[in-house]
Amino acid sequence: MGLFDIFGQIYLFFSKRRQALFVISALVILLSLFYLTKIRFSEDIKSLLPDSREDFLLEFNLLQQTPFMHKVIINLRERSGADKEGLTDAADDLAKAISASQYFTSVTSGPVSDQNFDIYTFIVKSIPNLITRNDLEEIRGWLTPGHVHEKLLERYTGLFSPEGSMMIDDIRLDPLDIKTLVLKKLSSLNIIPEGAIKKNHFIDQSGRNLLLIADTCVDVTDTLNAERMLAELEEIKKKALPENLEMLILSPQSYTVTNTRAIKKDLVVVLSISSLSMIILFFLFLKNWRAIFILLISFSSFTIALGGVSVIYSTISAITIGFGSVLLGLSDDLSLHVYFALRRDGGRYDAGHIMSEVSRPVLYGGLIIICSLSLLLLSELPGQRQLGLFSIIGVITSLVFTLVLLPQMMRATSSSKEIKSDNIILVKGKTSRPILYISLWIIMIIACFWSGKGITFDGDLNNLNYRSDELKYIEGYIKRTWGDFNSRAMIFSEGDDLESALMVNESLYNYIKDDSGKETIISIAPVLPSIETQRSNIDTWKSFWSENKNIVTRIFENEGSSIGFTPDAFDPFIKSLDESPDFITPDTLNRAGISALIDSLIIPYKEKIRILTLAPDNERIRALLKASDCPGGVRFVSQGYIGEMIRKTVGHDFVHFIAGALIVILVLLIPLFRDFKKVMLSMVPVVTGVVFMFGIMGLFDIAFNIFNVISSILLIGLGIDYGIFMVCRCSEDYEHDTDTAVLLSGLTTVTGFGALIFASHPALYSIGITVLLGIGAAIPSAIYVIPALYHYFDKGGKKVVSL
Amino acid sequence: MPKHRIIFLTILFVFTAWISGDEQGVSADEVKTEAILLRIKQASSNIESLEGDFVQKKKLEILKDMPDSYGKLYYMSPGRLRWEITAPVIMGFIINGEHGKKWRGKDGRSMKFDLSREPLIAAISNQVFSWARGDYERLKAGYDISILSEEPVEIRLRPISPVEQKYIESIDLAFSEEESHVTKIEINDKKGGSTQISFSNMKINPGLSEEIF
């Protein structure tokens, strides 16, 4: 008895226990349906990140924990431009309404300063704390009669202006305009480069846009509350917003909600289209009610796979479920071959004999798919591993049902009348024009090989996020209006307490400040140095003025008097040089009206303090932060960096998957055929599919990402199946309507994948389009090229030996 | 109509007027202010543009003696104002709707500014705009208004907004005989200093070029 006769024996065993088999199968399916009710969906982006590297996950967690993840940006736009005055009033009303919502903790519309301590007071009072040794050297250059005269004359001229009387205090306290040096330092807090502060609100240059920043308590991964929060904002908009104003909302939660909605919609569309097309295809090709068995096996494989995954994973990625359409198309490939064999030959041979014969290619095909998919379990990306497990369970179920359950169902419902009425579309015949097929195939392979050279890998997670047209518009509008404050790299300075964190933060700022190019670094270091640094600055300031106070007093007396200032005009300045200012603390900055920003940049985390710096996300900064002289306690996170890491992982996985899949195939094919030519011929659909997929992707600049890399494995697993069946069909006295089975299984797979191109979510779409290309080329190559090549080898060489 | 009925209606009318007047809290001063504002509004109702000279006198605590400055004013309805000092220094500002621009010195370099951050420029331009346009609702919303003199009309404004209150104590305005335009503004600041601007050679509705603004 050969190895594959065991399936004949299994058939005979269950033919006497058919009812029990049906009951057990039904129970298994019902059990999986029960588990389906417990499934919890997840859109957690973490599943797309390599989990083998702790540092990488830590960086991603840092990114998730930044206060920016809880900021909702609201842009109010005055449509007509006629009522700009009303913009601030409407913004205040709106801010009040939003603050009252349970989903928001506060709303910032502009600097909120203490009545008696505004940003000006902060600047003037903080001069000794913030002026550095370098600044003092610049001031030293100002202490000449000529420079002082010029400065005082400028101040005197200003007094003629209507606002002149407002300048008096400033002239008395800071006649040299030393505060301009502190003002430059404040620019390091300008997170909204294109904005300005008007009427104490963030308003753009045109005066038509106003920015509100709302703090929400909703986590970015909390889809349900994110939906509710955005719905509440819509309600507030309807109630509180005048008709001439438009409200644009952008927040990390907007992306969560948009993605969830898109995936849910896609699941319905994709699964409906793939199911419907399978039913239509079966109706067209099979014209037999028993085709429902194949559909039953496909849908059971899907539910059992989902149930199985839900036993192991607490949540299931929506992408995995979307992949169900593919599984529907995959799982019928095996059952179709058995179905055709039993239906066509059922009259001539007994089912046990047929099963012994057909089980070999079916089992090999199934094993190859399973082994190829097993490679996904080695992936560093949890999302890929879950998809792999889902597909493996699905294919194993399909294989078991195909080899054990299907023959019993077919036999239990067979009748001689039905067998004769079968309508097979493709009939095995002699291969015509083999040279033409081979030539066309070679030309296509060469052309695709050439255009596929430039294939790229994309690690940018943003490209796998669904962004609706509305969201893209809002993104673009806010970027144009307020500047690009969303795409900066984040650098965290960590310390056991605020003082040590501030010290790390200072070191970091001094380390990178000269290398940021034209882009500003957003850092609190210049305006909130550590107490130690402030103390040092104050000492240096006092020491400087103890040397120069008498000189400057004399110059002021002479030059001031010559212009017309009273003798005591600059007394407040001279007196201030001896004063000891208070240290600047976060509270000082809060009172000065920049609490929202300070709260965002100083982040308490567990027992520690992290201070956030926003820097340009470029190669130069990345290289600096990787260098050995980079200050300790600093951690760098950026979307670009994460993208780069994922890109490398995708590239690494891709090479491993392809190489692994090819090795698996060879290991399984060699014992199957024990003939080099047959092994090579079986590879034709795989090679054709992969090269065609590369060629078209290269031609249209479609990049590989973490999802469509999986497609290449599926393509190899599926393509080799077609190859095995067609080589068996060509080389042996083996007729089970293989052409039709290959064509139909290929078509159902294509519709399974093809349905994904109707998905709006980029991840699902990218899987669909790539495998569609591959399978689309693999099927014709299996049906036309393998017989043509076989014909050529068979005729030109020695007779191929069948096993 | 019977006599007693007329008496009854008269009493009812007077009583109702007294009740409603009491409810709204309208004092005799307020009534007078309203009447004067209405007079000014009628007198200035046909003003589309203005052109005139001014002399500015300032008293500032940090200067020994501040010379008078001289300049010109141009206004065009509804929201354009050019205010320039030509001697002894050169400086000025232009308000054109929402946009503000100011300059200092002979080189003519100008910089944009936000009116909300220049409360004194805002106070002057608001006065010009409000009186020229007869926009008393805006004035009443921003200031407590009292009448200093009825003939010629002199009005005192005290700012309500905390921002203006921080710098301005009061603004006194004197009107021309025909009550169509302001002839003198005196801004008293919180530090005890004052800015007095006297207008002369005022032309009502002169043909002004757009380029001025």
Side-chain angles (χ1 to χ4, degrees):
Chain A
M1 188 175 79
L3 173 67
F4 295 97
D5 289 340
I6 195 167
F7 289 99
Q9 297 300 318
I10 290 172
Y11 171 77
L12 292 174
F13 175 80
F14 280 113
S15 60
K16 292 168 191 161
R17 299 165 184 83
R18 208 167 270 159
Q19 298 302 326
L21 179 67
F22 290 163
V23 169
I24 291 167
S25 304
L27 283 176
V28 171
I29 294 167
L30 285 173
L31 191 67
S32 68
L33 286 172
F34 169 72
Y35 271 104
L36 283 190
T37 59
K38 296 191 168 185
I39 282 181
R40 280 175 53 222
F41 297 105
S42 156
E43 291 84 26
D44 192 352
I45 200 162
K46 254 194 211 172
S47 68
L48 311 183
L49 304 172
D51 59 357
S52 57
R53 297 188 45 182
E54 277 185 28
D55 57 335
F56 186 84
L57 282 178
L58 187 70
E59 278 161 19
F60 188 75
N61 281 337
L62 278 175
L63 200 66
Q64 295 283 298
Q65 285 156 11
T66 57
F68 296 108
M69 286 292 158
H70 290 96
K71 300 276 182 204
V72 180
I73 295 168
I74 300 166
N75 185 96
L76 286 189
R77 180 169 60 174
E78 212 288 313
R79 284 199 185 100
S80 63
D83 184 25
K84 293 176 188 172
E85 289 290 321
L87 194 58
T88 49
D89 294 339
D92 291 340
D93 291 343
L94 198 67
K96 208 173 162 187
I98 294 171
S99 300
S101 159
Q102 57 171 320
Y103 298 108
F104 296 94
T105 50
S106 64
V107 182
T108 308
S109 56
V112 187
S113 58
D114 191 315
Q115 190 73 15
N116 300 310
F117 190 85
D118 56 13
I119 194 77
Y120 170 80
T121 316
F122 164 74
I123 292 167
V124 174
K125 282 190 181 287
S126 307
I127 288 173
N129 307 55
L130 301 179
I131 291 294
T132 61
R133 204 174 285 276
N134 286 344
D135 296 328
L136 285 172
E137 284 313 306
E138 191 175 343
I139 293 170
R140 192 187 296 278
W142 299 352
L143 305 181
T144 63
H147 183 91
V148 172
H149 185 89
E150 197 181 320
K151 184 50 98 177
L152 293 184
L153 193 61
E154 185 188 319
R155 306 291 249 159
Y156 172 80
T157 310
L159 290 170
F160 285 89
S161 68
E163 71 272 29
S165 51
M166 276 174 63
M167 294 174 180
I168 293 170
D169 282 347
D170 182 52
I171 294 172
R172 302 192 73 176
L173 207 58
D174 183 26
L176 289 171
D177 240 353
I178 296 173
K179 67 180 166 301
T180 51
L181 297 172
V182 178
L183 270 171
K184 279 184 197 165
K185 296 176 196 293
L186 266 175
S187 67
S188 71
L189 290 179
N190 185 12
I191 201 164
I192 310 166
E194 301 298 327
I197 295 167
K198 296 177 186 174
K199 296 184 185 172
N200 226 37
H201 289 74
F202 300 122
I203 294 181
D204 77 329
Q205 302 297 341
S206 72
R208 291 179 60 184
N209 291 282
L210 188 148
L211 188 70
L212 291 176
I213 301 168
D215 285 85
T216 177
C217 45
V218 176
D219 284 336
V220 71
T221 49
D222 184 355
T223 314
L224 185 67
N225 281 316
E227 286 236 32
R228 288 176 180 164
M229 177 198 84
L230 292 175
E232 183 142 323
L233 273 181
E234 283 299 317
E235 274 302 305
I236 292 172
K237 183 169 127 182
K238 279 180 200 160
K239 285 180 191 164
L241 202 68
E243 277 186 5
N244 61 322
L245 297 185
E246 187 183 10
M247 184 164 124
L248 305 176
I249 300 161
L250 190 67
S251 72
Q253 289 77 8
S254 311
Y255 293 93
T256 308
V257 170
T258 313
N259 265 279
T260 309
R261 284 179 189 159
I263 288 180
K264 280 181 182 166
K265 192 177 154 200
D266 283 349
L267 290 183
V268 174
V269 171
V270 166
L271 291 173
S272 306
I273 291 177
S274 59
S275 308
L276 199 66
S277 3
M278 263 182 81
I279 292 166
I280 292 170
L281 278 172
F282 280 18
F283 175 76
L284 283 176
F285 276 79
L286 305 181
K287 295 186 177 172
N288 189 311
W289 72 270
R290 289 187 298 169
I292 205 164
F293 297 154
I294 297 169
L295 288 173
L296 186 69
I297 287 176
S298 294
F299 286 107
S300 302
S301 305
F302 174 55
T303 55
I304 290 171
L306 264 188
V309 171
S310 70
V311 170
I312 294 162
Y313 288 89
S314 57
T315 58
I316 296 183
S317 160
I319 303 286
T320 302
I321 299 167
F323 211 69
S325 74
V326 175
L327 192 65
L328 286 178
L330 267 177
S331 53
D332 69 350
D333 284 15
L334 305 169
S335 46
L336 269 172
H337 287 281
V338 173
Y339 173 86
F340 273 104
L342 286 169
R343 204 178 64 167
R344 183 178 170 92
D345 303 324
R348 282 184 282 161
Y349 305 103
D350 70 89
H353 173 78
I354 295 167
M355 284 312 296
S356 299
E357 198 171 52
V358 82
S359 61
R360 186 174 67 152
V362 167
L363 191 66
Y364 264 97
L367 280 178
I368 286 175
I369 296 178
I370 291 165
C371 291
S372 307
L373 289 168
S374 302
L375 294 168
L376 288 175
L377 300 178
L378 305 175
S379 168
E380 291 181 29
L381 309 177
Q384 285 190 341
R385 291 202 299 272
Q386 193 183 75
L387 254 175
L389 184 69
F390 170 74
S391 308
I392 289 168
I393 296 174
V395 176
I396 289 175
T397 310
S398 173
L399 195 61
V400 171
F401 280 1
T402 296
L403 293 174
V404 179
L405 185 63
L406 182 62
Q408 300 300 340
M409 290 198 289
M410 292 289 284
R411 185 55 64 198
T413 55
S414 69
S415 73
S416 56
K417 195 179 171 187
E418 267 182 338
I419 291 163
K420 282 173 188 171
S421 68
D422 280 349
N423 188 350
I424 306 298
I425 291 174
L426 292 184
V427 181
K428 185 184 173 189
K430 290 228 168 198
T431 308
S432 60
R433 292 177 287 183
I435 298 297
L436 176 69
Y437 292 140
I438 293 169
S439 307
L440 286 173
W441 177 68
I442 290 171
I443 291 167
M444 189 274 287
I445 290 284
I446 292 169
C448 288
F449 198 81
W450 183 78
S451 72
K453 281 188 303 183
I455 201 87
T456 53
F457 295 95
D458 183 6
D460 191 347
L461 288 179
N462 282 334
N463 294 340
L464 291 179
N465 260 334
Y466 171 72
R467 291 179 300 161
S468 60
D469 288 343
E470 187 192 3
L471 206 53
K472 280 183 200 162
Y473 169 75
I474 294 173
E475 249 178 27
Y477 189 83
I478 287 178
K479 193 172 174 179
R480 283 194 304 278
T481 310
W482 304 104
D484 189 5
F485 51 87
N486 219 12
S487 61
R488 287 171 179 266
M490 296 183 179
I491 311 169
F492 295 86
S493 307
E494 193 173 273
D496 291 334
D497 51 29
L498 181 64
E499 177 68 3
S500 57
L502 286 171
M503 286 169 82
V504 176
N505 192 44
E506 270 169 58
S507 310
L508 167 71
Y509 183 74
N510 292 329
Y511 179 66
I512 60 171
K513 68 178 178 187
D514 298 326
D515 289 283
S516 64
K518 287 178 185 173
E519 291 182 73
T520 321
I521 292 172
I522 305 295
S523 169
I524 57 168
V527 288
L528 184 60
S530 62
I531 299 293
E532 190 182 309
T533 304
Q534 289 186 50
R535 190 175 285 125
S536 162
N537 285 346
I538 293 167
D539 290 345
T540 315
W541 167 268
K542 283 188 173 175
S543 155
F544 176 84
W545 287 111
S546 68
E547 281 173 36
N548 297 289
K549 188 176 157 187
N550 291 336
I551 304 167
V552 85
T553 307
R554 209 164 40 248
I555 296 174
F556 273 130
E557 278 170 7
N558 294 338
E559 302 306 321
S561 175
S562 73
I563 291 170
F565 285 100
T566 56
D568 63 349
F570 310 111
D571 282 359
F573 171 66
I574 303 296
K575 207 176 147 194
S576 75
L577 300 178
D578 295 324
E579 286 171 359
S580 292
D582 294 334
F583 291 120
I584 305 167
T585 63
D587 183 53
T588 319
L589 294 166
N590 287 344
R591 287 174 58 210
I594 41 181
S595 56
L597 188 58
I598 296 303
D599 290 346
S600 298
L601 298 182
I602 301 177
I603 310 160
Y605 180 71
K606 293 180 180 170
E607 301 281 293
K608 298 191 172 192
I609 295 287
R610 285 177 180 153
I611 297 177
L612 179 59
T613 295
L614 302 175
D617 191 0
N618 59 34
E619 281 297 327
R620 175 77 189 131
I621 294 286
R622 281 180 223 167
L624 267 177
L625 292 165
K626 281 182 196 165
S628 56
D629 57 342
C630 176
V634 164
R635 198 166 268 282
F636 173 75
V637 186
S638 82
Q639 291 197 351
Y641 181 56
I642 288 175
E644 179 63 19
M645 300 261 281
I646 293 174
R647 194 186 66 75
K648 281 183 183 162
T649 308
V650 170
H652 171 269
D653 278 358
F654 182 76
V655 173
H656 281 76
F657 287 163
I658 295 276
L662 289 175
I663 291 167
V664 165
I665 287 169
L666 286 173
V667 166
L668 290 169
L669 282 187
I670 290 168
L672 175 70
F673 289 122
R674 294 186 212 167
D675 184 299
F676 180 72
K677 282 177 196 166
K678 285 186 181 177
V679 171
M680 288 298 108
L681 281 175
S682 304
M683 303 280 277
V684 165
V686 173
V687 172
T688 311
V690 170
V691 172
F692 185 76
M693 181 172 80
F694 280 13
I696 300 298
M697 285 174 77
L699 192 66
F700 291 101
D701 204 20
I702 302 168
F704 269 111
N705 58 45
I706 58 172
F707 288 111
N708 58 13
V709 155
I710 301 166
S711 311
S712 55
I713 292 190
L714 286 173
L715 178 58
I716 291 171
L718 288 168
I720 205 71
D721 274 7
Y722 305 146
I724 291 170
F725 287 120
M726 286 308 292
V727 169
C728 285
R729 179 272 217 187
C730 294
S731 64
E732 299 164 30
D733 184 19
Y734 176 82
E735 290 187 41
H736 302 299
D737 293 320
T738 308
D739 307 51
T740 314
V742 166
L743 179 66
L744 185 52
S745 64
L747 284 176
T748 55
T749 306
V750 164
T751 53
F753 280 112
L756 289 174
I757 66 167
F758 293 98
S760 52
H761 197 280
L764 292 175
Y765 177 83
S766 70
I767 296 172
I769 192 74
T770 44
V771 182
L772 197 60
L773 290 172
I775 299 290
I779 296 170
S781 73
I783 294 174
Y784 296 106
V785 180
I786 290 179
L789 284 171
Y790 190 85
H791 171 82
Y792 177 75
F793 286 136
D794 201 24
K795 201 174 156 187
K798 66 174 187 175
K799 174 82 178 160
V800 176
V801 180
S802 64
L803 299 169
Chain B
M1 186 181 285
K3 196 177 175 183
H4 68 271
R5 197 172 286 180
I6 294 170
I7 293 167
F8 171 76
L9 283 175
T10 308
I11 291 168
L12 186 68
F13 175 76
V14 171
F15 184 75
T16 311
W18 179 72
I19 290 287
S20 59
D22 188 54
E23 272 180 356
Q24 290 165 12
V26 178
S27 66
D29 281 351
E30 283 170 334
V31 173
K32 187 167 77 181
T33 305
E34 283 294 324
I36 290 174
L37 289 177
L38 195 63
R39 253 165 47 201
I40 297 171
K41 186 173 185 174
Q42 281 166 353
S44 61
S45 60
N46 65 340
I47 293 180
E48 286 299 314
S49 60
L50 286 169
E51 180 184 351
D53 301 325
F54 66 82
V55 179
Q56 179 181 263
K57 294 175 190 291
K58 280 198 175 196
K59 283 181 193 166
L60 300 175
E61 53 178 323
I62 58 168
L63 293 180
K64 287 180 269 189
D65 186 24
M66 191 166 190
D68 293 349
S69 49
Y70 301 88
K72 284 191 80 71
L73 160 97
Y74 302 91
Y75 160 78
M76 189 185 276
S77 178
R80 287 191 271 193
L81 176 70
R82 183 184 178 107
W83 176 279
E84 60 180 339
I85 294 174
T86 50
V89 295
I90 293 174
M91 62 167 53
F93 66 85
I94 291 172
I95 308 283
N96 193 342
E98 285 292 314
H99 306 288
K101 189 169 79 174
K102 59 182 178 180
W103 64 92
R104 192 183 290 180
K106 288 178 184 172
D107 61 1
R109 274 190 308 168
S110 61
M111 58 181 284
K112 291 176 180 174
F113 66 91
D114 173 20
L115 211 53
S116 67
R117 307 194 91 180
E118 302 282 3
L120 285 177
I121 294 182
I124 289 177
S125 53
N126 270 341
Q127 293 307 312
V128 175
F129 292 147
S130 299
W131 295 110
R133 294 194 293 227
D135 188 358
Y136 305 124
E137 292 309 314
R138 187 170 163 180
L139 273 176
K140 281 192 280 186
Y143 302 92
D144 284 331
I145 304 173
S146 57
I147 306 295
L148 299 178
S149 155
E150 284 188 57
E151 282 188 21
V153 173
E154 285 182 24
I155 291 174
R156 170 160 292 171
L157 311 176
R158 289 185 188 278
I160 294 170
S161 99
V163 181
E164 272 191 60
Q165 271 181 356
K166 207 169 169 182
Y167 302 101
I168 300 168
E169 180 65 35
S170 64
I171 302 169
D172 293 346
L173 300 131
F175 284 81
S176 61
E177 269 182 40
E178 57 276 26
E179 296 176 351
S180 60
H181 62 271
V182 176
T183 56
K184 194 167 85 177
I185 300 177
E186 186 168 338
I187 303 172
N188 299 301
D189 64 51
K190 284 275 184 187
K191 300 277 175 185
S194 68
T195 302
Q196 193 186 86
I197 304 159
S198 304
F199 298 97
S200 59
N201 303 324
M202 289 301 284
K203 294 176 195 163
I204 293 174
N205 295 334
L208 295 179
S209 161
E210 299 255 332
E211 286 172 11
I212 291 174
F213 306 96

